[in-house]
Amino acid sequence: MSRPQLILLVVSVVAVSISVFTGPKDNEFADREVALDSSEAKAALAIIEKLAESTNHLAAHLSADAPPMARQQLLQLSQKLIQANTVKLNEVSWRGEYLSVAVSCSPAGEHWFYLAEDKARQLKLLGVQQ
C-alpha cells in the first residue's frame, strides 16, 4: 500500500468515526414518556375503566391484531378489574408504535396494558403484562 493510499484510508476511517459519534442520537425505539393528563393517557384510562365496568366492553376495545393468547389474558384481567376498588394510571409511554400503560388496581395489583392505533387512529388493546 502506497503512502497516499494509507493517508486516504486513515482520513476515511477518522471521518466515518466522527460522523458516527457526532451523528443524531435519535433512537426510534426509545421510550417516549407521555403526560398522565394527555389525550392518549385519558383515552387509555377510559378503555381500562370500561373494562372495569364489564367484560362486555372488551370486544369493542380489542385490536384485530391481538393474538389469541393476549385476548384470553385480557379477558381474565378484565374479570379481575371488575372487582377492583380503584384504577389509577401510574405511567404512560410510547414504545415504538405501541402505547404502554401502567395501571395499579387495588386489590388486583399493577398491570401493563399495551395499545396501538388502528386504521381509524383509535387506541385498541393489544395485550397485557401482569
Side-chain angles (χ1 to χ4, degrees), residues 66-81:
M69 192 66 164
R71 292 171 187 256
Q72 182 181 8
Q73 289 176 339
L74 283 164
L75 177 61
Q76 290 172 351
L77 182 59
S78 63
Q79 291 169 342
K80 289 180 185 178
L81 284 176

Side-chain angles (χ1 to χ4, degrees), residues 58-70:
L58 182 60
H61 298 290
L62 190 61
S63 172
D65 297 333
M69 192 66 164

Side-chain angles (χ1 to χ4, degrees), residues 44-45 48 89 91-93 99-103 111-115:
L45 181 61
I48 295 165
L89 282 180
E91 182 181 335
V92 181
S93 62
L99 186 66
S100 174
V101 180
V103 177
H111 306 282
W112 288 87
F113 289 88
Y114 297 98
L115 299 99

Side-chain angles (χ1 to χ4, degrees), residues 43-44 47 57-66 74 94 97-99 113-127:
I47 291 170
H57 296 286
L58 182 60
H61 298 290
L62 190 61
S63 172
D65 297 333
L74 283 164
W94 281 103
E97 59 188 51
Y98 303 106
L99 186 66
F113 289 88
Y114 297 98
L115 299 99
E117 290 183 336
D118 62 2
K119 292 178 183 176
R121 309 227 5 120
Q122 298 291 319
L123 286 175
K124 298 289 183 176
L125 288 164
L126 277 177

